[in-house]
Amino acid sequence: MKFQLFTLPTIPATLEERAAKRPIGRDNEHFQAMIAEVRELAIMADEAGFDVFSTTEHHFHSEGFEASVQPMMLYADLAARTKNISFAPLSLVLPANDPLRVAEQVAMLDHLTGGRVYGGYARGYQDRWVNVLGQHVPVKGTPMDGGDDDKHNRAVHEEYLDIVYKAWTEDLLTYDGQFYQVPPKQGITRWPAAEWTKQYGHPDEIDENGHIRGISVIPKPLQQPYPKAFQPFSVSPSTMIHTAHNGVMPIILTAEPEQFKALAKLYQDSAAEVGRNLKLGQSIGAFRAVAFGDTREQAWELMERTNYYGFQIYFSGFGFWEALRLPGDKEKFPGLLPKEEWTMERFTKTKYGLVGTVDDIKRDIEDLAKIHGEDGELEWFSWFFDQGLMPIDEAKRQLEIFAEHIIPEFRD
């Protein structure tokens, strides 16, 4: 098994401090404190043997939660302070970005880190910032509800992702898409350095009139043909099929054992359809929250005020509780899961929130690693870690326990 530490860079502060210093996201002293914590945890994760350190991409979070505005810049800083650990954005939101800038940034970081980079690309579900940064398309943040905005968002995402991979693999890029063209429709007719480019650029870059025919996106990635990619927060059968067909590694948020097992099998079967013959669990991962305690009660209390708290006050509004359904819920709750069901009992019963002593957690991870009795081999365990919602000393203690007792037990 490989291990990923996933965190939402969060300004460390009490609720009282957040209220008193609003908007705390623009408080430089607190923002610096967050950067210091993230650096410390990334260095610890590297020394502990984690394979990947990951964050999100989100913008305009005045409340100081998910304050991950420039993940690639952050990773460049962290890579300079670490030796072995790789970095993966979970994820870069393509519809609200320029696809060629994303291709450049990932490839550049791949060179700067000596190949310690994974990709991760998402569609964007937070209207507050996707609607602003995506207005040039235009595109909106969207739930996965099959509506017109959802379909449009998906179409933009899939086209942009196609452009990213073509930018990496084609020495001369031309593209005539619905949302993006290279060269643009008006053409590029003014290039005074045409003779220079004819001599030293791509042989077909300049046409007979001295106009730009296509572009070469530099650099291409150090990892060839390109870095492997994750698909985070995966919950649906359609995502399993799409990622399996395209060689992407889904990190599955759906946690209940039978549902998780079904998605793992669907991925395996779908990969086989395109000639990827995988063991059950290979090329997939699982998101889980973990809280260690000397007793189960102690661990429960820690989880309740960290990861569970984040679900309650924040992720619930975006529908994340739908990933924590139990058998029989579809008949009982055909709509969205009602608020009275957002309980710690559900959080742990689904096996998303793993709480207890070291031995308790070992048993839970062993069962997950084998894909819940199917004799599988889960490739990735992603720890949804609560930097900023717990004191840094407790965060470090939790990491140390994981490094001492879990990684050696399950390392490939």
Side-chain angles (χ1 to χ4, degrees):
M1 188 184 288
K2 301 183 184 75
F3 296 93
Q4 180 182 67
L5 190 70
F6 171 75
T7 186
L8 310 173
T10 296
I11 290 175
T14 65
L15 294 180
E16 290 75 20
E17 287 174 310
R18 290 185 197 283
K21 298 202 171 184
R22 58 193 298 196
I24 200 168
R26 289 179 58 83
D27 185 285
N28 284 341
E29 181 180 353
H30 280 83
F31 202 90
Q32 283 287 312
M34 179 192 74
I35 292 173
E37 285 197 5
V38 172
R39 283 173 174 162
E40 189 168 9
L41 293 173
I43 292 169
M44 283 188 66
D46 182 42
E47 294 171 347
F50 279 86
D51 298 275
V52 174
F53 183 87
S54 291
T55 64
T56 54
E57 180 200 4
H58 288 301
H59 302 272
F60 316 147
H61 280 232
S62 61
E63 310 89 351
F65 187 62
E66 285 196 314
S68 183
V69 298
Q70 287 290 343
M72 307 308 277
M73 290 180 68
L74 175 65
Y75 300 154
D77 177 272
L78 299 179
R81 302 168 188 271
T82 54
K83 296 178 180 178
N84 300 307
I85 199 166
S86 295
F87 300 92
L90 297 182
S91 291
L92 299 175
V93 178
L94 287 182
N97 275 293
D98 183 287
L100 296 183
R101 287 191 182 275
V102 169
E104 289 175 335
Q105 290 170 5
V106 175
M108 186 68 179
L109 188 62
D110 201 30
H111 280 270
L112 290 174
T113 62
R116 290 193 283 150
V117 171
Y118 286 82
Y121 314 103
R123 294 169 50 201
Y125 66 92
Q126 294 188 5
D127 296 14
R128 178 169 62 177
W129 73 266
V130 175
N131 293 21
V132 175
L133 297 186
Q135 64 183 295
H136 60 285
V137 178
V139 72
K140 300 177 181 178
T142 177
M144 292 183 289
D145 60 4
D148 290 343
D149 287 343
D150 183 26
K151 291 175 182 176
H152 175 69
N153 180 294
R154 180 180 292 278
V156 175
H157 173 78
E158 291 180 354
E159 180 172 306
Y160 279 18
L161 190 59
D162 187 45
I163 293 170
V164 169
Y165 282 107
K166 280 183 165 60
W168 286 338
T169 57
E170 297 181 4
D171 288 342
L172 187 71
L173 174 68
T174 63
Y175 200 88
D176 187 17
Q178 181 181 357
F179 309 104
Y180 205 97
Q181 296 83 39
V182 178
K185 287 183 178 180
Q186 68 269 27
I188 305 173
T189 59
R190 191 184 70 86
W191 183 240
E195 292 304 315
W196 167 264
T197 302
K198 284 181 180 179
Q199 283 187 283
Y200 303 112
H202 189 281
D204 297 320
E205 198 166 341
I206 303 292
D207 70 12
E208 62 276 7
N209 299 312
H211 300 168
I212 297 295
R213 179 184 285 129
I215 61 171
S216 285
V217 179
I218 67 166
K220 66 180 180 182
L222 181 63
Q223 299 175 76
Q224 283 294 296
Y226 39 74
K228 293 181 178 179
F230 294 106
Q231 174 72 48
F233 304 115
S234 301
V235 298
S236 70
S238 62
T239 298
M240 293 302 104
I241 295 169
H242 182 266
T243 53
H245 286 175
N246 291 279
V248 176
M249 299 178 289
I251 308 296
I252 301 172
L253 184 63
T254 300
E256 191 277 323
E258 291 303 312
Q259 296 173 55
F260 180 84
K261 186 162 54 177
L263 291 176
K265 287 182 175 179
L266 178 58
Y267 185 91
Q268 182 188 34
D269 293 342
S270 300
E273 293 172 357
V274 294
R276 301 176 63 219
N277 296 312
L278 307 174
K279 295 180 180 178
L280 183 64
Q282 186 179 352
S283 199
I284 68 172
F287 270 120
R288 297 293 182 269
V290 179
F292 295 100
D294 294 331
T295 64
R296 180 175 172 81
E297 292 71 26
Q298 187 184 76
W300 182 285
E301 188 274 333
L302 177 62
M303 180 72 77
E304 194 168 29
R305 59 184 169 87
T306 54
N307 204 274
Y308 173 76
Y309 174 76
F311 257 69
Q312 286 292 79
I313 58 104
Y314 185 75
F315 289 114
S316 58
F318 298 105
F320 274 50
W321 275 100
E322 294 303 297
L324 304 186
R325 282 182 171 265
L326 292 162
D329 277 351
K330 188 174 182 179
E331 293 74 23
K332 291 166 62 178
F333 312 113
L336 293 176
L337 200 67
K339 190 171 183 178
E340 57 267 21
E341 289 294 322
W342 301 351
T343 64
M344 263 295 286
E345 287 74 15
R346 176 180 292 274
F347 205 70
T348 56
K349 191 174 181 179
T350 55
K351 294 298 182 181
Y352 167 74
L354 307 183
V355 300
T357 65
V358 167
D359 288 340
D360 293 331
I361 303 299
K362 278 185 179 181
R363 284 192 294 270
D364 284 335
I365 294 179
E366 182 176 16
D367 183 49
L368 176 61
K370 294 179 179 179
I371 317 296
H372 304 300
E374 292 294 323
D375 198 27
E377 296 180 16
L378 184 68
E379 184 169 349
W380 287 94
F381 183 92
S382 184
W383 186 2
F384 199 140
F385 193 77
D386 289 295
Q387 177 274 327
L389 290 184
M390 70 175 87
I392 186 61
D393 288 344
E394 180 60 40
K396 290 163 63 176
R397 189 180 79 89
Q398 293 287 311
L399 263 182
E400 288 166 355
I401 295 171
F402 197 95
E404 180 180 353
H405 297 285
I406 303 302
I407 292 181
E409 185 87 7
F410 297 98
R411 167 68 66 200
D412 288 341

